[in-house]
Structures are given as C-alpha cells and as structure tokens.
C-alpha cells in the first residue's frame, strides 16, 4: 500500500485488490498529483493545476448525477 500523503487521500479500488488512487498536494508547484498504485508500485501519475482540479471535481459530480435509473436499480437489486 502506498504511503498516505500529508495533504490528500488514499482511495482503494472497489474491484481490484491492492490497487489505490493516491491524491497528493504539492503546493510548492501549485499542483495536485493523482497516482495509481498497485500495492507499493506506482503505475501512473497525472499532475493537475488548479483549473484542472476544478474541472475534475465538476466531472466527477456530473458522473454521479448522470447515472441512468436502470443502472441504479441493478446495483440495488444486485
């Protein structure tokens, strides 16, 4: 498991054991870094500026709201 950042989050993958999304703040560069980890190995990173973080938050919110009703029913019935 990757180290928990001082400012950020560590989010476990719901379907793949040992996979995490690490969100870390790098204020010295005015960036937030998203990294994908498998156990203790970093597989990929994405560096975001402030506007990109805002765009990501909006995109995540839209993705939650836009779920079709039948997908919700399948998940509840599942």
């Amino acid at each position: 498991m990757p180290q928990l950042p001082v400012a950020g989050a560590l989010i476990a993958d719901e379907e793949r054991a040992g996979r995490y999304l690490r969100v870390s703040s790098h204020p010295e560069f005015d960036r937030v870094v998203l990294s994908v980890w498998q156990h203790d190995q970093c597989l990929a990173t994405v560096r975001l500026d402030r506007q990109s973080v805002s765009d990501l938050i909006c995109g995540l919110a839209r993705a939650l709201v836009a779920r079709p009703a039948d997908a919700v029913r399948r998940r509840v019935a599942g």
Side-chain angles (χ1 to χ4, degrees), residues 2 36-44:
V36 177
W37 291 76
Q38 185 67 41
H39 299 288
D40 61 351
Q41 181 180 11
C42 180
L43 304 177

Side-chain angles (χ1 to χ4, degrees), residues 24-42:
S24 56
S25 174
H26 293 272
E28 67 278 17
F29 301 113
D30 200 28
R31 296 281 185 261
V32 168
V33 177
L34 304 179
S35 52
V36 177
W37 291 76
Q38 185 67 41
H39 299 288
D40 61 351
Q41 181 180 11
C42 180

Side-chain angles (χ1 to χ4, degrees), residues 4-59:
L4 184 63
V6 174
L10 190 61
I11 304 162
D13 188 305
E14 291 293 321
E15 297 179 1
R16 188 172 292 198
R19 176 133 325 159
Y20 297 89
L21 176 66
R22 184 177 186 257
V23 181
S24 56
S25 174
H26 293 272
E28 67 278 17
F29 301 113
D30 200 28
R31 296 281 185 261
V32 168
V33 177
L34 304 179
S35 52
V36 177
W37 291 76
Q38 185 67 41
H39 299 288
D40 61 351
Q41 181 180 11
C42 180
L43 304 177
T45 62
V46 177
R47 292 161 181 83
L48 304 172
D49 63 14
R50 288 179 179 272
Q51 183 58 53
S52 296
V53 171
S54 178
D55 294 343
L56 175 62
I57 292 168
C58 289

